[in-house]
Amino acid sequence: MSLQPLLINGEFRSAANPTGSYQSTNPMTGEKLPWSFPYSEWDDMEAVLQAAADAVSELRRAPRQLLADFLDTYATRIEKRAEALVEAAHLETGLPAPTRLNAIELPRTTDQLRQAAAAVRDRSWTQATIDTAAGIRSHYGPLPGAVVVFGPNNFPFAFNGASGGDFAAAIAAGSPVIAKAHSSHSRTSQLLAEAALDAINETGAPKGLVQLIYRFKPEYGYDLVADPRVAAVGFTGSREGGMRLKEVADRHGKPIYLEMSSINPILLLPGAISERAQAIAEDFFTSCTMGTGQFCTNPGLVMTIAGDEAEEFVAQAAALFDDGAAGVLLNRGVSEGMDESIRILTSNGAKVVAGGAAADAPGYCYQNTLLTVSGTEFLANPHAMQTEAFGPSSLVVVAQDADQMEQIIQCFEGNLTGCLYTDSAGSDDELYDRLAPQLRVKVGRLLNDKMPTGVAVTAAMNHGGPFPATGHPGFTSVGIPASIRRFAALYSYDNVRQHRLPPELKDINPTGDMWRLVDQQWTQADINA
Amino acid sequence: MSLQPLLINGEFRSAANPTGSYQSTNPMTGEKLPWSFPYSEWDDMEAVLQAAADAVSELRRAPRQLLADFLDTYATRIEKRAEALVEAAHLETGLPAPTRLNAIELPRTTDQLRQAAAAVRDRSWTQATIDTAAGIRSHYGPLPGAVVVFGPNNFPFAFNGASGGDFAAAIAAGSPVIAKAHSSHSRTSQLLAEAALDAINETGAPKGLVQLIYRFKPEYGYDLVADPRVAAVGFTGSREGGMRLKEVADRHGKPIYLEMSSINPILLLPGAISERAQAIAEDFFTSCTMGTGQFCTNPGLVMTIAGDEAEEFVAQAAALFDDGAAGVLLNRGVSEGMDESIRILTSNGAKVVAGGAAADAPGYCYQNTLLTVSGTEFLANPHAMQTEAFGPSSLVVVAQDADQMEQIIQCFEGNLTGCLYTDSAGSDDELYDRLAPQLRVKVGRLLNDKMPTGVAVTAAMNHGGPFPATGHPGFTSVGIPASIRRFAALYSYDNVRQHRLPPELKDINPTGDMWRLVDQQWTQADINA
């Protein structure tokens, strides 16, 4: 079987000296799909790096507008290829084609690309800051190198290294992207790269603006991150893999933005359980099994206070988990990871009350799984009890009282999200006031009375959080303009003559309505010379 | 001699089990000063960490206003003790008491503290972002831990761990500070801590809001950074020391902000040399010898293009360096570092054209030192030729032509600043347009026709830059609001009830004129419910 080509410097090329190959697999059947992809030798990496460096030079001379045109055109090109993309992604991931991939994830992806294009045109993301009396002006501008994006397994479009949130942010900031295709959806990534190349050709963007590589030996990943032609890295995936790349990036003083693991705790306060246990159980079940439980913000831990109502809630939830159809996981590794995580949880005292094993079905199907553990057992081994079971699984922690709930919150590692369900009459208010400040600092996004799986692409979104959910608590990978600024440098100009300033910092507002912080006031006005 | 006490949890205490001691030294004479300081055992560190954790809990319940009151009161308390502070700092650093410490650095320090206080009251630094349709709101809020600040040797007030820029930013963001006194001005740091304690007592701020420790064995520094009660770190100092702390902080996923080394290259374009060589030589000499050349933004490398005018410039500069009085260095280590750096530069081809050795005077006096090297020799060993000679020293690189100048710029490591001098008639414009984009991405602050040693405390300042000048190109340690946001976390609120939101994110603007990004428009208005 011939190996699929890489996208290098504006053309699809065979790997120069492939050291092996791997095949896409259909997780619904466990069967191999008819596409085989190369493991690259360093020749390919070197070619990609050099083309990226050339693209950086070209971009330095190009108008920013070009990147906006590219992003918009790419969105349109993706839409034109929607059918083929959805089909490939469905075959490679098992995610439902019409309801999920076509109706939700693909529009979300093109929307992100278009939001990024709008941000490039608007220029406000650069946060131009002008101190007229001091003669000093600053803004965020492009890094002098490429961004390598390692995408995750769970969103073949919206977080894909060649089309997702990190990709859109890096391009909007002004860097070329070197995308590492995830092995679970390499064909989908290849089709996206084809659409990207169409958009490059249509807009005259630098040939190396978007490149795609597949697998390579781990050392090459570290060499890639360390290479001087790479300025920053985006990674979404396992904690182990993320930490290894982080170590290399950190040693070389390069920004790396990671999203590693998160169990997204939910606190059910007593009033909420009394008021609407069944409704919450339904919300919880829906959220926990969405995308077969493989969302980054999946509610993997739910905490209640012991009592009849908590027992009733667990019974209601367990019934829903039992009755729900088993879903297809993304690949064999996810299924094996579920087995291993459940083993760790149960060997530390958790009890399975629904599911707990692979489903008796073709492919990588897993039962919806619910476990419970007492707060006391949780506290006996808080690290193990926070093992993420990536998939349709959650652990209900039954704390003996509010004090113990607070103790458990204090043991939480950093998470993307945290949520408190409270009653509508106010009986939970006092406990909320006590617990919310504790939970607040453990999570990036705090929710009330809402499950965390929806991640709106808006400016106030924080898809980030304290370590180890990410590598830095000040950044978000979703939401413009903040996600773009991650891949930029702060550039200050001191006493630089007016005609030499970048457009964002000249006296005349370059768009007429760009927002700038002039003498500590945000304004869209020109500066009076 | 009795050991000076540490500031722990609101009281000056003797070290619990000191493992040794060191004395302050007068660099003007080389003689010991009458203050001796302890090396701490871990007992002291544990006490400091616990008090800091208690302060974090207290701050969570306190109004933000308290921190503004503290910062303002602290500034006033410093002014009340100005005479003693200036005297101690002069004795410990040799910096001129009236012209530098009293007239410039002390007012700069109190100004920074007051700017930070104003930012706390104004709240705009939190960058509140509200998406009304999505029901999502975010802002920057306090980290759940202390900030450890390691201050440098060169600014006993303005960058002191107990009173400087990182200190002010961390307190304004809402974290207690654990200050490590620099060994070169421990008495000054102690007096500052006394003023801070006065301000704590006067305002009722948490006892552990500001604490001061002296030396300890290096392992304890790493354990301090790794401790869960510490949320972030600020460090200004050597590259070697910075990188060791960075490795620990990175491994624990903690933000660390470093300022490590910078030679601040200056490009003298041919038109500028023709037009005003003598004036530039005078500017250069003044800038290079300011604070005996020990400013972070000291111009340590000047590049010209070979020719008669370049030779004339070097001769003019050398004459100024020769004629200028030798200055006092901060300590013996700086003097030894000068010797070693000059040895590395000359052994790689640089020639000394002025100074080059310690001065024949009491204390740690060093001759103003100017070296030259050809562009070709520079390119033969670009790493060694970028050795920072911290002190009144600079290296003139004489490139053979513009092409070589460009090659050399491409070899530059990351720096805090970079500068281009150009003529006023426009004859340098073409070369500027070619070189400036290359230099731009190597530095945090780009200057025209101005030496880099002045660092204005304004919003558009960037006292930061690409690695290895700092650890991340997106941050500045000087300039509010950006410096404050370094020590904050991004906190998003999704569907959180109005009365539970922090004041910055409620519908009503909490100050009446705080700037917020509401539905992508910056505004000071309330939100219409």
Side-chain angles (χ1 to χ4, degrees), chain A residues 27-44:
Chain A
M28 299 172 284
T29 62
E31 288 165 3
K32 297 287 182 196
L33 290 165
W35 305 296
S36 209
F37 302 90
Y39 277 73
S40 281
E41 240 310 323
W42 183 255
D43 315 55
D44 292 337

Side-chain angles (χ1 to χ4, degrees), chain A residues 131 445 450 458 460 462 490 494, chain B residues 131 445 458 460 462 490 494:
Chain A
D131 297 319
R445 177 166 53 115
K450 184 183 174 186
T458 78
N462 181 9
L490 182 60
D494 188 344
Chain B
D131 298 319
R445 177 166 52 116
T458 77
N462 182 8
L490 182 59
D494 187 343

Side-chain angles (χ1 to χ4, degrees), chain A residues 131 246 250 257 422-423 429 440 444-446 448-450 458 460 462 472-473 490 492 494-495 497 500, chain B residues 131 246 250 257 422 429 440 444-446 448-450 458 460 462 472-473 490 492 494-495 497 500:
Chain A
D131 297 319
K246 176 169 157 47
D250 288 338
Y257 303 100
T422 53
D423 76 331
D429 279 8
R440 169 68 285 183
R445 177 166 53 115
L446 187 78
N448 270 190
D449 309 311
K450 184 183 174 186
T458 78
N462 181 9
H472 190 300
L490 182 60
S492 183
D494 188 344
N495 200 43
R497 300 183 200 176
R500 292 171 175 168
Chain B
D131 298 319
K246 176 169 159 45
D250 288 338
Y257 302 100
T422 53
D429 278 10
R440 169 66 284 181
R445 177 166 52 116
L446 186 78
N448 270 190
D449 310 313
K450 185 183 174 186
T458 77
N462 182 8
H472 190 298
L490 182 59
S492 182
D494 187 343
N495 199 43
R497 301 182 198 177
R500 293 171 175 169

Side-chain angles (χ1 to χ4, degrees), chain B residues 33 35 46 64 112 158 168 177 241 268 294 330 363 394 415 423:
Chain B
L33 291 165
W35 305 297
E46 175 58 32
R64 291 292 102 182
Q112 278 179 172
V177 167
L268 303 181
Q294 298 161 115
L330 294 161
S394 196
N415 279 281
D423 76 331

